[in-house]
Amino acid sequence: MTDPLSAHVAQAAWSLVRRAETWRAGATGGRRPLFARGPLFHVPAGGPGPGVTRPVALTVDDGPDPRWTPRLLDVLDAHGVRATFFVIGERAARHPELLRRLLAAGHTIGNHTYGHPQPFAALPTALLREEIRRTQHVVSEETGFTPTFFRAPAGGWSRTVLGAVRDQGLVPVDWSVDPKDWRPPPAARIARIVASARHGDIVLCHDGGGDRSGTIAALDTALGRLLRRGTVFAPL
């Protein structure tokens, strides 16, 4: 897909799919996705029975950022929560020490393209593949770790994007809880939405691309609430 208008339409359609998947998760436990070949909207079921409890997966996009990522890591460490950080390749290349700190702390790293172009699905296929490949190379060269998960900028999926992701051996990941902290709204609103997460949800937050002080304060509050309710967290 190379038409920007078509890419925006596809992105809006995937937003509707995201809402439908979130509704279905409440009704079916998230075990029967609408599109088997689409991205993950929830943590996959790890056991055979309906009573198996799935963890919440906290995911963090757009870093690493030398101002906000270390502060967020301190909050996560204080709560004993491990997350999946979807990094932008060009930022990872500038701050490889943060990649190594993420992994040393028990977090995992996902691929969030090299330059975060939007609308992502409007790029020619060759550029889609290159955006993914370059970030894989940066992370692997700097850390020895090869990401297995990919998230498209702004959820910019299409059949071509999903094919390019899987051709490089990656699992496409979306989300089910989004506080839209990139805007950014007040910390109290971010905390309230994050704290609404249920078993199996994939929570989207950000540690780059702007002032993330509200996100950090909100996560400190929301993680405490969720842990007191017995929520289990795990990286993807």
Side-chain angles (χ1 to χ4, degrees):
M1 180 183 296
T2 57
D3 175 12
L5 178 59
S6 298
H8 281 299
V9 170
Q11 190 164 319
W14 278 108
S15 180
L16 293 176
V17 173
R18 185 180 302 121
R19 294 182 185 183
E21 291 282 6
T22 300
W23 177 84
R24 285 169 63 87
T28 69
R31 294 176 180 275
R32 295 190 297 276
L34 284 170
F35 298 102
R37 297 292 294 172
L40 294 179
F41 293 95
H42 295 85
V43 177
V52 175
T53 298
R54 292 173 298 154
V56 169
L58 175 63
T59 63
V60 185
D61 288 12
D62 291 1
D65 184 284
R67 181 176 184 184
W68 305 115
T69 304
R71 291 174 59 181
L72 179 54
L73 287 172
D74 288 343
V75 168
L76 297 179
D77 185 62
H79 290 283
V81 170
R82 301 296 174 259
T84 302
F85 285 77
F86 285 92
V87 301
I88 294 175
E90 62 181 5
R91 295 177 184 172
R94 291 199 301 267
H95 306 289
E97 74 286 353
L98 291 176
L99 299 182
R100 292 188 282 271
R101 181 177 170 184
L102 289 171
L103 293 173
H107 306 285
T108 194
I109 295 174
N111 185 324
H112 197 39
T113 74
Y114 191 81
H116 205 269
Q118 296 186 62
F120 188 59
L123 295 182
T125 303
L127 290 183
L128 291 175
R129 295 179 184 277
E130 184 66 4
E131 282 283 329
I132 299 167
R133 185 202 66 78
R134 290 182 73 185
T135 299
Q136 291 292 98
H137 177 76
V138 167
V139 175
S140 178
E141 284 292 303
E142 294 293 349
T143 69
F145 174 85
T146 301
T148 57
F149 297 102
F150 173 84
R151 175 172 284 155
W157 306 109
S158 69
R159 186 175 301 175
T160 302
V161 171
L162 291 167
V165 171
R166 290 198 168 94
D167 284 348
Q168 297 197 46
L170 294 164
V171 176
V173 178
D174 202 87
W175 59 85
S176 56
V177 175
D178 180 10
K180 300 190 183 303
D181 62 318
W182 52 270
R183 288 183 171 175
R189 182 178 185 278
I190 299 172
R192 183 173 67 254
I193 294 173
V194 172
S196 72
R198 301 174 295 181
H199 297 304
D201 273 329
I202 298 175
V203 179
L204 170 64
C205 286
H206 297 79
D207 65 337
D211 184 341
R212 299 298 171 228
S213 57
T215 297
I216 293 166
L219 284 175
D220 194 22
T221 299
L223 295 179
R225 292 177 187 170
L226 287 165
L227 290 167
R228 286 191 293 273
R229 294 207 304 258
T231 302
V232 175
F233 289 88
L236 292 167

